[in-house]
Amino acid sequence: MIIAIYEYEIDPEDEKDYLKLTQEIIRPFWTDRGIKYSVFKSIEERSKFVKIMEFPSETFLNTALLDKDAETERVVSLFKHYAKNLKRTLYKQIL
């Protein structure tokens, strides 16, 4: 299994719109493709979020995320419109 962890900030005034868009468009897009998609909000810092995407294999990750088609690009751009100070790290499960 591969997980992609995204750390980012959402401006407080954009949070409601971001969460609505994520719930209605972004998350269903990924889950319909077999990718587990979770979003967490910091309890300590109001604007900080973490998104975790779980992929069954590295091949699946490459097909779904790195080799983007037009629809994937559109959904990613929706996310990036809101996400500030974005950092992505990929992890491979070893145990």
Side-chain angles (χ1 to χ4, degrees):
M1 176 191 314
I2 305 291
I3 59 171
I5 298 180
Y6 295 80
E7 298 175 72
Y8 55 99
E9 296 177 30
I10 300 293
D11 291 333
E13 62 271 10
D14 292 334
E15 182 178 335
K16 186 176 179 179
D17 291 339
Y18 161 71
L19 292 175
K20 185 176 191 290
L21 180 74
T22 299
Q23 184 174 6
E24 294 176 1
I25 297 173
I26 299 172
R27 186 172 190 250
F29 174 84
W30 293 112
T31 57
D32 288 350
R33 285 154 182 76
I35 298 162
K36 188 173 177 185
Y37 189 101
S38 304
V39 176
F40 299 85
K41 181 178 178 180
S42 173
I43 1 183
E44 299 172 322
E45 296 182 55
R46 183 176 171 204
S47 65
K48 289 199 173 192
F49 288 77
V50 170
K51 171 178 79 169
I52 300 173
M53 298 173 75
E54 295 182 25
F55 301 87
S57 68
E58 201 165 339
T59 302
F60 199 91
L61 165 81
N62 290 332
T63 301
L65 189 62
L66 302 179
D67 299 332
K68 296 181 183 93
D69 60 19
E71 182 65 10
T72 303
E73 288 284 358
R74 184 185 74 79
V75 171
V76 169
S77 71
L78 292 172
F79 168 72
K80 287 184 176 180
H81 172 75
Y82 290 99
K84 311 292 184 223
N85 301 317
L86 178 62
K87 177 186 172 192
R88 182 188 79 186
T89 306
L90 299 174
Y91 294 90
K92 183 176 183 177
Q93 185 175 15
I94 57 171
L95 292 177

